[in-house]
Amino acid sequence: MSRYAIGVDFGSESGRAVVVDVADGRQLATAAWSYSNGVIDERLPIEQAVPLKPDWALQDPEDYLRVFRETVPAVLRQAGVDAEDVIGLGIDFTACTMMPTLADGTPLALLPEYRANPHAWVKLWKHHAAQPEADRINETAERTGQAWLPKYGGKISSEWFFSKALQILDEAPDVYARADRLIEAADWVIWRLTGVETRNATTAGYKALWSKGEGFPDRGYFEALDPRLADVVDAKMSREISPTGDRAGGLTPEAAEWTGLRVGTAVAVANVDAHVSVPAATVTEPGRMVMIMGTSTCHMVLGEEEHLVPGICGYVEDGIIPGYFGYEAGQSCVGDHFAWFTEHAVPESYQVEARQRGLDIHVLLQEQAGLLAPGESGLLALDWWNGNRSVLVDAELGGLLVGATLATTAPEIYRALIEATAYGTRVIMEALETNGVPVNEVIACGGLADKSPLIMQIYADVTGRPFRLSASDQTPALGSAMFGAVAAGADAGGHATIEDAARAMARLKDLTYEPNAEATAVYDVLFREYVRLHDYFGRGENTVMKTLRGLRARAKAGEV
Amino acid sequence: MSRYAIGVDFGSESGRAVVVDVADGRQLATAAWSYSNGVIDERLPIEQAVPLKPDWALQDPEDYLRVFRETVPAVLRQAGVDAEDVIGLGIDFTACTMMPTLADGTPLALLPEYRANPHAWVKLWKHHAAQPEADRINETAERTGQAWLPKYGGKISSEWFFSKALQILDEAPDVYARADRLIEAADWVIWRLTGVETRNATTAGYKALWSKGEGFPDRGYFEALDPRLADVVDAKMSREISPTGDRAGGLTPEAAEWTGLRVGTAVAVANVDAHVSVPAATVTEPGRMVMIMGTSTCHMVLGEEEHLVPGICGYVEDGIIPGYFGYEAGQSCVGDHFAWFTEHAVPESYQVEARQRGLDIHVLLQEQAGLLAPGESGLLALDWWNGNRSVLVDAELGGLLVGATLATTAPEIYRALIEATAYGTRVIMEALETNGVPVNEVIACGGLADKSPLIMQIYADVTGRPFRLSASDQTPALGSAMFGAVAAGADAGGHATIEDAARAMARLKDLTYEPNAEATAVYDVLFREYVRLHDYFGRGENTVMKTLRGLRARAKAGEV
């Protein structure tokens, strides 16, 4: 008798569910649903239409629950799977994506008195307006010699939990005071499904400065940051952190009604989209990096030992696979980069041709960019349109394009942007290897990896490493289903460990992008130039990007 | 009884004629004609379709003669002017735009045996493929201590006469050998009109290293450059240089037929579009800069004394107005910059809106860019899409854009490109003033100046100087007509001097763009950042632009 698990993956723009056979990982059906309110970055989606400042990115918590209602019944129906045969459910989420709630889990954004306050809403991972708070967190950590700081590459990001929490406190102290809980959206969703408030080890470890050995930073540190923040962990969070793979609880009757699943179906502790993809991409051992390539890219690699790697997002013991240190790095602008380009910089003639030929504009641009040899565009870019996560950890950096001439074409720029993201990846790989964490091969997953042979080949050529692809087109959701199968346990027909689940359920495609030595030789030259610009603009020698950002903010605020 | 003069202005894409009343400068009619073969930069317009390498830009000499036939009879007809009342004709041209001919003036490009050889065609001013030759000319001049070198800003350009002549010798020695004459297109046109080969002082002085006091560089210098070039001046050029304002000759019967003018009508010595615009913009004294703003920009200012100004294109005694040193600087990418942008980087939505509203795309972009405050784009660009003429004199530099984010829009980039060209202008002004040549006010002319209040205001704000506009919408052609009136002389109803002609015939618009102090304060900050990037990328500290250009050339040549 077949047993099934369901995985639900919450992305930046949409959520998607898969139903998977726990015996072999076969995906029987998938369904996606785009959030009604998507990424909220201009104004709140309410009657008053409250405008947002630059760098804000919010979401609507109700969109997350709609994902369950819209997708889970759909995949059951499509797959013809009986809810009785579904033994477990797992979810993964973008992170840090967090919100303030009441003690019963009600998001403050749903309360009429807070609905027009942007700070009551969910702060999406790419909300970058908490940079001043991140700066303070870093300065205070340096000043007080916090031992955890070097583990996060020496600098924490504006995207992370305490940056966002502190921004709420700074700018909306009433919201902060009213918030009984500050919680990752990932954990909030599990709370809604099971009625049990848990805190997952992955977001706690990678985004909220928690570690298995040391717990959270101590009260004195938070007090030094802001006296009102001294008790944030005990008052609004929790010190009980649930390990990856654990069962959070069973579905409540209400959640069973949303999903069409049995009451009591095992629900795994929440996880992060990138991290959950690692075993789903067959990786449960060191040396093979998993890259999850979507709007942004996460780079995950396991290590047997503890190493400090400057500028990575962090490493967490047991953070990905129990028994290993899970190293995470990231690039904040990858698919977003190409999407920006097609929206803001591609001439009409290409759009017309794409329509006439029935092609997606990206397919057309990649077709033309693919005709170019390495170096032929004459262009080099710094892929910092959305700042730099690894290894500079600086959201206030900006994009750069150099080498344009009057003969420069859109496909040339497009290729230069692809190459720039590949150089960014190579910087991360070299930082890891230099510091003792080998990266011999890459397993890529996510929409960009599946859809873009050109991008994969450029990445292989630029990094000089083979790139393989996860067989699933829904790797995170598959990973979540795998954790759902582990939460259900072997006795219920699931799996005892994530390694067991990976062996049974994870696959690679029969396709390898091998680096081309001639191309790599050209890219070596370009990469040296990239690194030089990277260091010049990114490490403080020329701070023009920050000056520009400051002037822009002043102008937008009407101060000039 | 009214007397008229005709001016014909040869631009990069087209030629245009005006007929003007010599008493008051009133333009009675204008007519333009676009060259059949335009700028030839991809392949020769012949059956074999010979492809051209990057950085080439040629023209078809026959296009120039067609301009006379297409425009002069048209303006006479439109204006109802009798050819008997036309006392003189002047022409101005882009420069250095040069070609090889036989002894009788037949362009080599018209000979069947040379027609498929790109070197037989006219090399347009913006032909930039002679950079290796320019480098050799500069190195040899430095090594042999040529006194003329500092007068040209310390470096001569790939655009200039001997760079282009030497490229012919290097790459097509048979063309060089067969060429009885190497001649500016400006002088060639006069030759065709009058039957007399003259060489005008302006192109000789600004583009061919000639000066009133010293003549051309000596034979030894040319020999050091290449022994085959030793006698280039005596063998293929001329040491007889005709001053600005002189009469070259009278129209031949053949030219009279092309133009519909009288045989013997006075024809002025050839001149350059930028230089001829100075008196047409009312300037016959120091302190007021004339900027001719089109595909590129020329900056002209008169000085009473001789000053060395690093990086300007040069200064020539009597080169603009007799009695003054005429200083010239240039930016090689201005209107071309904005045209590149609309062709290669403006999204469809803007094109659709422009069509729906019946607007030129530039008008729409300027409307939206005009809503932004200084600094609001968050962007800064180096305006080097076509290299840098002044003050770096380096055609191999490339464009740069810094500060882009995922919120960056096309009008923001467009504004940044406008501002970049304004910073480039300010660099030139500061170089002149630092070296003793004051620039208190600017008179702008050319299409960009007339059509773009936003551009004018940004230039005023960035430079902190008032900008006024020439009243004529055809300033160069008016200037040529003025020189035609001077060639005819006072006795024939024309003018005795160019100053007399300027007093009678030149006007400014009743409109001044005054700098806004608040905007200038923001631009001062941005200009400092511009200068820092300008020096970093332009003065040898980071040569990435050249590396990129080198890789591009190798890739295009199939070497990688």
Side-chain angles (χ1 to χ4, degrees):
Chain A
M1 188 185 65
S2 290
R3 287 284 177 263
Y4 304 98
I6 286 184
V8 184
D9 165 47
F10 291 86
S12 297
E13 303 282 351
S14 62
R16 72 212 65 209
V18 295
V19 56
V20 175
D21 190 316
V22 300
D24 58 8
R26 194 166 44 100
Q27 292 176 198
L28 283 83
T30 69
W33 185 75
S34 292
Y35 305 140
S36 311
N37 289 315
V39 176
I40 303 165
D41 54 9
E42 296 192 342
R43 56 190 61 79
L44 291 183
I46 57 174
E47 213 168 302
Q48 299 99 308
V50 179
L52 301 178
K53 293 190 182 160
D55 298 327
W56 276 65
L58 304 180
Q59 289 199 317
D60 176 357
E62 293 192 294
D63 269 338
Y64 304 141
L65 302 186
R66 289 181 198 121
V67 167
F68 290 117
R69 287 191 290 251
E70 298 288 339
T71 64
V72 180
V75 294
L76 291 176
R77 198 167 50 240
Q78 281 173 52
V81 162
D82 189 333
E84 290 304 314
D85 297 328
V86 176
I87 59 171
L89 178 149
I91 69 108
D92 62 271
F93 225 96
T94 64
C96 164
T97 294
M98 59 84 79
M99 69 180 99
T101 75
L102 297 180
D104 67 355
T106 305
L108 292 196
L110 302 190
L111 303 181
E113 64 270 35
Y114 289 108
R115 195 145 176 80
N117 189 325
H119 280 292
W121 292 64
V122 178
K123 288 189 167 62
L124 184 61
W125 67 272
K126 65 176 167 178
H127 173 89
H128 285 135
Q131 189 61 47
E133 286 76 16
D135 292 344
R136 254 161 70 205
I137 286 171
N138 288 320
E139 286 156 22
T140 307
E142 268 183 45
R143 184 164 45 78
T144 59
Q146 297 294 311
W148 47 262
L149 187 62
K151 297 193 186 187
Y152 295 103
K155 228 188 212 180
I156 78 128
S157 156
S158 69
E159 293 181 4
W160 290 9
F161 195 87
F162 291 114
S163 304
K164 285 170 168 155
L166 187 54
Q167 193 196 8
I168 298 176
L169 178 59
D170 279 345
E171 299 179 7
D174 55 326
V175 170
Y176 183 83
R178 187 70 185 86
D180 297 316
R181 318 300 291 156
L182 294 174
I183 190 164
E184 283 279 348
D187 292 324
W188 180 79
V189 162
I190 296 299
W191 192 359
R192 296 288 88 177
L193 289 179
T194 63
V196 184
E197 182 188 350
T198 55
R199 305 276 173 155
N200 75 85
T202 310
T203 56
Y206 285 97
K207 309 294 178 183
L209 312 182
W210 174 86
S211 74
K212 195 174 158 187
E214 310 290 331
F216 287 101
D218 62 21
R219 190 179 184 282
Y221 170 72
F222 288 112
E223 195 172 19
L225 215 45
D226 189 312
R228 295 169 297 172
L229 203 71
D231 292 311
V232 62
V233 174
D234 291 316
K236 297 179 193 289
M237 298 167 66
S238 170
R239 295 193 188 275
E240 246 180 77
I241 305 296
S242 306
T244 277
D246 267 23
R247 181 178 185 280
L251 279 187
T252 64
E254 189 189 17
E257 203 184 305
W258 298 338
T259 55
L261 297 172
R262 274 185 304 108
V263 174
T265 303
V267 177
V269 164
N271 213 318
V272 179
D273 47 8
H275 302 65
V276 83
S277 299
V278 174
T282 76
V283 172
T284 56
E285 83 290 349
R288 292 193 299 150
M289 173 179 271
V290 175
M291 281 176 60
I292 299 91
M293 302 178 66
T295 54
S296 63
T297 290
C298 276
H299 315 70
M300 323 288 302
V301 62
L302 301 173
E304 310 217 350
E305 294 155 18
E306 184 171 359
H307 294 286
L308 289 178
V309 184
I312 66 153
C313 302
Y315 63 89
V316 173
E317 189 176 356
D318 302 349
I320 300 174
I321 303 289
Y324 294 102
F325 289 87
Y327 293 84
E328 182 194 353
Q331 288 176 269
S332 41
C333 181
V334 184
D336 269 357
H337 208 173
F338 312 139
W340 172 85
F341 184 71
T342 58
E343 189 179 343
H344 292 287
V346 171
E348 182 170 35
S349 57
Y350 294 90
Q351 304 283 5
V352 169
E353 182 180 344
R355 278 197 298 275
Q356 283 172 348
R357 294 174 54 197
L359 299 177
D360 181 272
I361 184 67
H362 291 281
V363 173
L364 176 69
L365 288 169
Q366 285 173 32
E367 173 188 295
Q368 302 206 11
L371 301 175
L372 299 166
E376 188 171 351
S377 72
L379 299 170
L380 184 61
L382 289 176
D383 50 319
W384 300 348
W385 265 245
N386 196 15
N388 177 291
R389 195 181 296 161
S390 298
V391 297
L392 298 170
V393 199
D394 191 337
E396 294 192 321
L397 295 173
L400 181 136
L401 180 73
V402 62
T405 73
L406 293 175
T408 295
T409 64
E412 289 174 344
I413 301 175
Y414 189 78
R415 185 173 177 118
L417 300 186
I418 293 171
E419 291 166 344
T421 64
Y423 303 136
T425 289
R426 183 165 162 182
V427 167
I428 289 166
M429 290 176 176
E430 296 198 351
L432 285 162
E433 293 216 323
T434 302
N435 292 283
V437 184
V439 180
N440 306 319
E441 186 183 277
V442 179
I443 315 299
C445 54
L448 275 183
D450 289 333
K451 281 184 279 187
S452 309
L454 176 70
I455 294 179
M456 287 301 93
Q457 189 59 52
I458 288 175
Y459 272 62
D461 291 341
V462 164
T463 63
R465 290 168 173 86
F467 271 63
R468 304 194 64 185
L469 298 183
S470 168
S472 172
D473 57 351
Q474 304 289 347
T475 310
L478 169 63
S480 284
M482 287 164 59
F483 279 106
V486 174
D491 293 348
H495 296 286
T497 64
I498 190 65
E499 282 92 342
D500 288 349
R503 270 187 293 273
M505 300 171 73
R507 300 269 180 286
L508 295 183
K509 282 189 181 156
D510 188 19
L511 167 68
T512 303
Y513 294 94
E514 293 287 353
N516 171 302
E518 277 182 35
T520 301
V522 176
Y523 283 130
D524 283 347
V525 175
L526 286 164
F527 180 66
R528 278 197 297 277
E529 299 290 348
Y530 176 90
V531 168
R532 186 151 182 225
L533 293 173
H534 173 280
D535 291 350
Y536 179 71
F537 288 106
R539 298 198 191 271
E541 190 174 343
N542 187 324
T543 56
V544 59
M545 291 168 181
K546 301 199 174 194
T547 303
L548 290 171
R549 194 168 280 247
L551 285 173
R552 177 165 175 267
R554 281 178 56 204
K556 294 254 180 236
E559 289 166 21
V560 279
Chain B
M1 190 184 65
S2 290
R3 288 285 177 262
Y4 304 99
I6 286 185
V8 183
D9 165 46
F10 290 86
S12 297
E13 302 281 352
S14 62
R16 71 211 65 208
V18 295
V19 56
V20 176
D21 189 319
V22 300
D24 58 9
R26 196 166 43 100
Q27 291 176 198
L28 282 84
T30 70
W33 185 75
S34 292
Y35 304 141
S36 311
N37 289 315
V39 177
I40 303 165
D41 54 8
E42 296 191 345
R43 54 190 59 79
L44 290 183
I46 58 175
E47 214 169 300
Q48 301 98 308
V50 179
L52 301 178
K53 292 190 182 159
D55 299 327
W56 276 65
L58 304 179
Q59 291 199 316
D60 176 358
E62 294 192 294
D63 269 338
Y64 305 142
L65 302 185
R66 290 182 197 120
V67 167
F68 291 117
R69 287 194 287 254
E70 297 288 339
T71 64
V72 179
V75 295
L76 291 175
R77 199 167 51 242
Q78 280 172 51
V81 161
D82 189 332
E84 291 302 316
D85 298 328
V86 176
I87 58 172
L89 178 149
I91 70 106
D92 62 271
F93 225 95
T94 63
C96 164
T97 294
M98 59 84 79
M99 71 181 96
T101 75
L102 298 179
D104 67 355
T106 305
L108 293 196
L110 302 189
L111 302 182
E113 63 271 35
Y114 289 109
R115 195 147 176 80
N117 189 325
H119 280 293
W121 292 65
V122 178
K123 288 191 166 62
L124 184 61
W125 66 272
K126 65 177 168 179
H127 174 87
H128 284 136
Q131 189 62 47
E133 285 76 15
D135 293 344
R136 253 160 72 205
I137 287 172
N138 287 321
E139 287 155 21
T140 308
E142 270 183 42
R143 183 163 47 78
T144 58
Q146 296 295 310
W148 47 262
L149 188 62
K151 297 193 183 183
Y152 295 103
K155 229 189 214 179
I156 79 127
S157 157
S158 69
E159 293 181 5
W160 290 9
F161 195 88
F162 292 113
S163 305
K164 285 169 170 156
L166 187 52
Q167 193 196 9
I168 298 175
L169 177 59
D170 279 345
E171 300 180 6
D174 55 325
V175 171
Y176 182 82
R178 187 70 186 88
D180 298 315
R181 318 300 290 157
L182 294 172
I183 190 164
E184 282 279 347
D187 292 323
W188 179 79
V189 161
I190 296 298
W191 191 358
R192 297 288 87 178
L193 290 178
T194 63
V196 184
E197 183 189 350
T198 56
R199 304 276 172 155
N200 75 86
T202 310
T203 56
Y206 286 97
K207 310 292 178 184
L209 313 181
W210 174 87
S211 74
K212 197 174 156 186
E214 310 290 331
F216 287 101
D218 61 23
R219 189 177 184 283
Y221 170 72
F222 288 113
E223 195 170 18
L225 215 45
D226 189 312
R228 296 168 296 171
L229 203 71
D231 292 311
V232 61
V233 173
D234 290 315
K236 298 178 192 288
M237 299 169 63
S238 170
R239 296 195 188 275
E240 245 180 77
I241 305 297
S242 306
T244 277
D246 266 22
R247 183 178 183 279
L251 280 187
T252 64
E254 189 190 18
E257 203 185 305
W258 298 339
T259 56
L261 296 172
R262 271 186 306 110
V263 174
T265 302
V267 176
V269 163
N271 214 318
V272 179
D273 47 8
H275 302 65
V276 84
S277 298
V278 174
T282 76
V283 171
T284 56
E285 82 293 347
R288 292 193 299 150
M289 173 179 271
V290 175
M291 281 176 59
I292 299 92
M293 303 178 65
T295 53
S296 62
T297 291
C298 277
H299 315 71
M300 324 287 302
V301 62
L302 301 174
E304 310 216 348
E305 293 155 18
E306 185 171 359
H307 296 283
L308 289 177
V309 183
I312 67 154
C313 302
Y315 62 90
V316 174
E317 190 176 355
D318 302 349
I320 301 173
I321 303 290
Y324 295 101
F325 288 88
Y327 293 84
E328 182 195 352
Q331 289 176 268
S332 42
C333 181
V334 184
D336 268 357
H337 207 172
F338 313 139
W340 172 85
F341 183 71
T342 58
E343 190 180 341
H344 292 287
V346 171
E348 182 168 34
S349 58
Y350 293 90
Q351 304 283 5
V352 169
E353 182 179 345
R355 278 198 297 275
Q356 283 173 347
R357 294 173 55 196
L359 299 177
D360 180 272
I361 184 66
H362 291 282
V363 172
L364 176 70
L365 288 169
Q366 286 174 30
E367 173 188 295
Q368 301 204 13
L371 301 174
L372 299 166
E376 188 170 352
S377 73
L379 299 169
L380 183 61
L382 289 177
D383 50 319
W384 299 348
W385 264 245
N386 195 15
N388 177 292
R389 195 181 297 161
S390 298
V391 298
L392 299 171
V393 199
D394 190 338
E396 294 192 320
L397 295 173
L400 180 137
L401 179 73
V402 60
T405 73
L406 294 176
T408 295
T409 64
E412 288 174 346
I413 300 175
Y414 190 78
R415 184 173 178 116
L417 299 186
I418 294 171
E419 290 166 345
T421 64
Y423 303 137
T425 288
R426 182 165 163 185
V427 167
I428 289 166
M429 290 176 175
E430 296 196 351
L432 286 163
E433 292 216 322
T434 302
N435 292 284
V437 184
V439 180
N440 306 318
E441 188 182 277
V442 179
I443 316 298
C445 54
L448 275 183
D450 289 334
K451 282 186 278 187
S452 309
L454 176 69
I455 294 179
M456 288 299 95
Q457 189 61 52
I458 288 174
Y459 271 62
D461 291 341
V462 165
T463 63
R465 289 168 174 86
F467 271 63
R468 304 194 65 185
L469 299 182
S470 168
S472 172
D473 57 352
Q474 303 289 347
T475 309
L478 169 63
S480 284
M482 288 164 58
F483 278 106
V486 174
D491 292 348
H495 296 285
T497 65
I498 191 64
E499 283 91 343
D500 286 352
R503 268 187 295 274
M505 299 172 74
R507 301 266 181 287
L508 295 182
K509 282 190 180 153
D510 188 19
L511 166 69
T512 304
Y513 294 94
E514 292 287 353
N516 171 304
E518 276 181 35
T520 302
V522 176
Y523 282 129
D524 282 347
V525 175
L526 287 163
F527 180 67
R528 277 196 298 276
E529 300 289 348
Y530 175 91
V531 168
R532 190 155 178 220
L533 293 173
H534 174 281
D535 290 351
Y536 179 71
F537 288 105
R539 297 196 191 274
E541 191 172 344
N542 187 323
T543 55
V544 60
M545 292 168 182
K546 300 197 175 198
T547 302
L548 290 171
R549 193 170 281 246
L551 286 174
R552 176 165 175 268
R554 282 178 55 203
K556 295 254 179 233
E559 291 166 20
V560 280

